[in-house]
Amino acid sequence: MKRILLLRGAELIVFALLATIPLLVVNPYALGLLTLLAIYGILLIGLDVTVGYLGQVNLAHVAFLGLGAYTAGLVVTKLGLGMAPALLAAMAVGLLLGGLLALPALRLEGPQFALATLSFSALSTTALNELEGLTGGAQGLSLSRPPVFGYALTPPLFYWLCMALLAVVWMLMRNLLASQWGRAFEALRDSPIATDAMGVGTYRHKVAAFALGSGLGGLAGGLYAFNFQYLQPQSFTYDLMIILLLGVVLGGRKSLWGAFVGASVIVLLPNLLSNRLLFQVFSGLGFAMALAAGWRGLMKKTTRPFQALAPVAAMGLLVVGGLLVENTEDWRKAIFALMLFSVVVGLPEGIMGFLALFLAKLFRVPHAPLPEPSDLDAVLPVRAADGSPLLVLEDLKRYFGGVKAVDGLSMTIRSGAIHGLIGPNGSGKSTVVNVISGLYTPSSGRTLLRGVALPSGSLFQVAQAGVARTFQNLQLFGELTTLENVMVALKGVYRSSLPLVLLGLARTEERRARADALALLELIGLKAQALTKAKDLTYGAQRFLEIARALARKPDLLILDEPAAGLAHPDVLQQIEIIKRIHQRGITIVLIEHHMDVVSELCDTVTVLDGGKIIAEGTPEEIKRHPRVVEAYLGHPPQTETSGGAEPLPA
Ligand code: ADP
Ligand code: MG
């Protein structure tokens, strides 16, 4: 309750204050700046979806601002329609073109994605310039603010409209980003492979996020058009794009407040540069913040001395420069560069990320309380296992160039079994898992789940079919908490449609998801760490968490790729305990393991691979005595018959 009051209270107070400003301030210039703040607030919230949540360098946002602005302008001037249809059209153009651009571009990663979006920006500026008949080209496009319900929108009225829209966008986005959608966005940033493997669908969420962010860019563009009432293509070029990125990074990514603070800074920037006193106050503040952040980092040993000093030096340069330089405006690019450098190095979480540390302490914002865990029998019902064939591999092959990683594998995994898959390093175990789970397409052969062919080459579809897996090299969602890692993967809980989620009417299923996820964390012994970020867990706990996350899929078949790899002895024992508990619930498990003692303790049947082929199959006891197995592991045939005792085979 207190948490809600504090968090929502802050929002209410700020918006209430902003709403009263036109009653107190009559200075039209100040009001113009605040109107721009609201517009840029919407714009940056949209940009934050791709830059913050998806973690992609998106250089197309400025183009959506421009396209939205021109759309609104044309709807009003050419079609003679009013403001509401113009704004809707601006947003729709953003959504649509954003979605279209995302379809090919989001298959790209990192620099390629940045370049694809950059070329989109270039293209859209050119189009706006060249379509002179429509846009007026370099001449620009003049429009006037159409009246709303017969009322002319005076500056204060228009300001209120922009602020009201910012408040609405803020509320809807807050609901969306706190839902499964927001978690999916973050999950796919941290590990696209695991997002697909957990049945969440990387691609569709990426496209949705990009379209949504671009739609907000378009809406902001519409407001921009009515704010300035004059548009020129060259207003929407790289210069502005860099400033928008500065705003998101400076304010703080993945935060509505961050977008708001970032918007305030970039709206004020031109004034800061033209007013000496303002600039000195601002750079002084920046210097103090760099000093505080650096000092804190050094005390907590989270930053190296260089990391702490560099931003202090950069901001110091701004302070000194502000005293020496005659005209700060001439230096604007250098000043932006210094600011961007200081923020990226010194405040990677941005101003809000930094302030939040203190604000949370100052106001003692408590964590949202955890609910009682759900009944495990409801979350993960015990199923009957009848020993019938569950997964059948038919002559499965996967070649990498000349490497026959899997070379004609036929095997049957029976329902209710813990089926071990062992073999020396490089014998093809992980490749088998990757083919079954859809990460790789097989070169030939089939996999059947309960007699039905599994889709090949799609992690997402295989996950949907009821197969869950873990990864030999951990693929957790590092920035999400332990609880959220499990919540992302939860199957069958999220049913509300997007409009309900946006309106914040999906709280019941959200509560249920938390309780269900908590029950799974309890099962594997991580309930106490529910609110720790996955990247901050111990290595052992991370391995356990991957299993809990896979269980959230309520799978028929669970494939564990070396779940004990790299674990200390006590953790290995706990891991065995966890696997036994899962098995008791009737879930069929394929266990890839290196340690023979773990295999002996857990498995009913063991298949041994070497060079991509099966060299032996049987119970653990039979396997340990099998001459070809001993040879594959030791590199020479067994000397005596006694080698199959309690001695674990070497890894
Ligand atoms: P294991 O898990 O049993 O240690 P892997 O399945 O990881 O073995 O590897 C089997 C063989 O396939 C190795 O020779 C490995 O180098 C090769 N291999 C695996 N994945 C790839 C890949 N993506 N590209 C090329 N070769 C691969
Ligand atoms: Mg492997």
Side-chain angles (χ1 to χ4, degrees):
M1 197 60 204
K2 180 174 174 196
R3 174 186 162 81
I4 304 284
L5 272 182
L6 280 172
L7 295 181
R8 297 298 159 260
E11 289 170 359
L12 263 177
I13 289 171
V14 167
F15 275 103
L17 280 178
L18 286 170
T20 51
I21 282 179
L23 306 176
L24 311 172
V25 181
V26 279
N27 179 345
Y29 183 69
L31 197 60
L33 283 185
L34 285 167
T35 310
L36 203 56
L37 166 64
I39 297 173
Y40 274 30
I42 296 175
L43 186 65
L44 292 195
I45 288 176
L47 183 59
D48 193 30
V49 178
T50 34
V51 173
Y53 282 82
L54 288 191
Q56 302 272 6
V57 179
N58 169 11
L59 300 177
H61 208 58
V62 74
F64 293 109
L65 179 74
L67 292 170
Y70 270 91
T71 305
L74 292 175
V75 165
V76 170
T77 53
K78 304 273 178 204
L79 301 182
L81 295 178
M83 191 176 277
L87 291 178
L88 279 177
M91 191 163 161
V93 162
L95 272 171
L96 200 73
L97 291 182
L100 281 180
L101 171 63
L103 283 175
L106 282 173
R107 295 253 184 240
L108 311 172
E109 286 291 328
Q112 276 94 345
F113 176 78
L115 283 177
T117 52
L118 188 67
S119 35
F120 180 81
S121 285
L123 201 67
S124 91
T125 320
T126 313
L128 291 178
N129 252 320
E130 296 304 322
L131 294 175
E132 273 179 42
L134 203 60
T135 63
Q139 295 284 310
L141 179 75
S142 295
L143 62 139
S144 54
R145 229 177 258 165
V148 174
F149 299 124
Y151 287 97
L153 281 188
T154 57
L157 283 177
F158 185 67
Y159 166 79
W160 275 318
L161 172 73
C162 292
M163 274 298 169
L165 283 176
L166 173 65
V168 169
V169 166
W170 183 296
M171 245 158 40
L172 299 184
M173 289 303 281
R174 191 187 61 207
N175 292 333
L176 186 78
L177 295 172
S179 77
Q180 170 71 358
W181 285 84
R183 279 193 296 276
F185 295 164
E186 290 203 66
L188 67 88
R189 178 200 55 216
D190 289 351
S191 170
I193 291 182
T195 309
D196 267 332
M198 293 301 125
V200 178
T202 298
Y203 196 53
R204 65 171 75 173
H205 281 94
K206 264 186 170 180
V207 172
F210 196 79
L212 184 72
S214 308
L216 290 179
L219 174 65
L223 293 171
Y224 182 101
F226 294 123
N227 186 46
F228 292 109
Q229 301 176 51
Y230 176 67
L231 301 172
Q232 267 189 318
Q234 57 265 39
S235 313
F236 308 106
T237 52
Y238 314 130
D239 281 358
L240 180 58
M241 189 63 234
I242 298 305
I243 294 179
L244 297 184
L245 281 177
L246 173 70
V248 168
V249 178
L250 182 73
R253 276 165 290 172
K254 293 199 295 162
S255 151
L256 296 164
W257 283 107
F260 185 75
V261 170
S264 322
V265 174
I266 62 178
V267 164
L268 287 178
L269 266 181
N271 302 280
L272 286 176
L273 295 178
S274 55
N275 182 319
R276 227 196 155 101
L277 182 69
L278 265 182
F279 184 75
Q280 279 161 5
V281 170
F282 177 77
S283 52
L285 272 177
F287 183 71
M289 190 158 338
L291 214 56
W295 180 253
R296 185 172 186 280
L298 284 182
M299 287 295 110
K300 301 217 156 187
K301 298 202 165 53
T302 51
T303 43
R304 290 153 184 264
F306 167 77
Q307 242 180 326
L309 277 181
V312 175
M315 292 314 281
L317 213 58
L318 272 197
V319 174
V320 176
L323 296 174
L324 297 181
V325 169
E326 264 309 313
N327 189 349
T328 32
E329 264 180 318
D330 295 346
W331 292 80
R332 52 191 283 257
K333 290 213 168 136
I335 291 167
F336 292 169
L338 279 177
M339 282 169 57
L340 201 52
F341 172 81
S342 313
V343 177
V344 172
V345 177
L347 288 182
E349 304 293 321
I351 295 179
M352 272 324 287
F354 184 62
L355 288 185
L357 295 173
F358 298 103
L359 292 175
K361 257 190 217 133
L362 201 59
F363 295 105
R364 295 226 173 79
V365 182
H367 279 300
L370 287 175
E372 274 298 303
S374 307
D375 179 11
L376 189 62
D377 289 331
V379 181
L380 202 63
V382 179
R383 327 121 189 241
D386 54 9
S388 61
L390 178 69
L391 182 78
V392 176
L393 309 185
E394 287 179 353
D395 198 25
L396 206 60
K397 293 184 182 157
R398 170 71 210 209
Y399 299 163
F400 296 104
V403 180
K404 298 184 171 178
V406 175
D407 193 16
L409 205 64
S410 296
M411 62 190 275
T412 299
I413 285 139
R414 298 192 171 275
S415 148
I418 302 186
H419 194 124
L421 192 59
I422 67 169
N425 261 330
S427 57
K429 304 179 299 291
S430 291
T431 306
V432 175
V433 177
N434 289 336
V435 170
I436 298 173
S437 64
L439 181 60
Y440 299 157
T441 3
S443 303
S444 71
R446 293 201 301 167
T447 51
L448 304 168
L449 188 72
R450 286 214 184 80
V452 181
L454 276 178
S456 76
S458 166
L459 277 169
F460 174 68
Q461 287 173 16
V462 173
Q464 294 288 326
V467 178
R469 64 166 295 182
T470 62
F471 294 84
Q472 182 173 352
N473 303 314
L474 287 167
Q475 293 279 349
L476 284 171
F477 308 128
E479 291 292 323
L480 294 183
T481 63
T482 305
L483 188 69
E484 286 164 340
N485 264 273
V486 180
M487 287 171 77
V488 173
L490 262 187
K491 184 178 170 185
V493 177
Y494 309 107
R495 297 218 172 82
S496 301
S497 59
L498 184 58
L500 287 185
V501 172
L502 282 171
L503 292 173
L505 297 176
R507 301 246 163 79
T508 338
E509 68 181 28
E510 190 70 8
R511 223 171 292 131
R512 153 111 192 269
R514 287 164 76 86
D516 284 8
L518 218 49
L520 292 172
L521 286 182
E522 202 166 38
L523 177 73
I524 57 143
L526 276 183
K527 191 173 151 224
Q529 274 106 302
L531 297 177
T532 311
K533 276 191 182 180
K535 64 171 187 183
D536 297 329
L537 291 174
T538 61
Y539 181 70
Q542 291 182 341
R543 283 243 171 247
F544 305 151
L545 175 56
E546 257 212 355
I547 297 185
R549 187 181 66 179
L551 282 179
R553 298 294 311 154
K554 307 171 187 181
D556 298 322
L557 178 70
L558 176 63
I559 309 178
L560 304 174
D561 194 353
E562 304 214 16
L567 294 190
H569 189 61
D571 284 344
V572 173
L573 297 183
Q574 188 176 343
Q575 189 68 287
I576 292 177
E577 194 46 45
I578 289 172
I579 295 172
K580 281 183 178 164
R581 269 184 232 156
I582 298 169
H583 183 232
Q584 280 160 12
R585 309 204 71 82
I587 295 176
T588 312
I589 298 171
V590 174
L591 176 66
I592 292 170
E593 214 6 282
H594 232 84
H595 305 72
M596 195 59 196
D597 42 352
V598 176
V599 173
S600 303
E601 167 123 27
L602 289 171
C603 299
D604 323 294
T605 313
V606 181
T607 303
V608 189
L609 293 186
D610 194 20
K613 287 185 158 67
I614 296 182
I615 56 168
E617 197 164 57
T619 65
E621 282 313 306
E622 290 165 0
I623 289 300
K624 276 195 274 185
R625 278 184 253 279
H626 198 289
R628 286 200 60 191
V629 178
V630 179
E631 186 182 347
Y633 269 82
L634 296 177
H636 55 77
Q639 263 93 39
T640 59
E641 259 302 298
T642 56
S643 58
E647 273 283 301
L649 286 168

